[in-house]
Amino acid sequence: MSTRGSYSPRKLGTIIDMAHIIIGILIMVMACFAILRPARYMFLFPLIFFLASLLSFFNSWFLFAAYKRNSKKKAAGVIYACLGLLLFILTVISAISIWVKG
């Protein structure tokens, strides 16, 4: 019987693949709307950045959870976490600039 917190890399890979597909489609649809009519859909830019940061945090979580003993994969997880943090900061900056300027 496995513990609750441990998943096999194959199961985690399926979860992360589904997250990539779903979030990727959402980002593509919102980016198309935001690029075609930026004045009307300006509120989508913070959402696009937020979903990108969420995807980066999912990648980081996957690398930490699936490869617990591989230090190179953990280093990649740290890089993904830093990228996710950077994208989240961009989310906050763009949301503030849109809502204050708005």
Side-chain angles (χ1 to χ4, degrees):
M1 186 172 211
S2 68
T3 61
R4 181 182 170 165
S6 66
Y7 295 103
S8 69
R10 181 173 292 176
K11 186 174 183 179
L12 285 176
T14 304
I15 293 170
I16 200 73
D17 286 343
M18 290 304 296
H20 277 124
I21 291 169
I22 294 168
I23 294 174
I25 290 172
L26 285 172
I27 289 173
M28 291 295 292
V29 168
M30 287 191 294
C32 287
F33 282 124
I35 289 174
L36 291 176
R37 297 191 61 191
R40 181 174 179 175
Y41 297 111
M42 191 178 296
F43 68 93
L44 290 178
F45 286 107
L47 293 174
I48 292 169
F49 289 133
F50 177 73
L51 287 176
S53 71
L54 192 67
L55 195 59
S56 183
F57 284 131
F58 278 155
N59 286 332
S60 175
W61 169 77
F62 169 71
L63 290 173
F64 281 122
Y67 301 102
K68 293 180 181 180
R69 295 189 176 142
N70 191 343
S71 61
K72 288 183 181 179
K73 296 289 185 176
K74 280 191 171 185
V78 170
I79 291 171
Y80 274 120
C82 291
L83 179 65
L85 184 63
L86 178 70
L87 285 167
F88 186 75
I89 291 170
L90 245 119
T91 299
V92 172
I93 291 171
S94 67
I96 290 172
S97 68
I98 288 171
W99 292 332
V100 170
K101 185 181 178 184

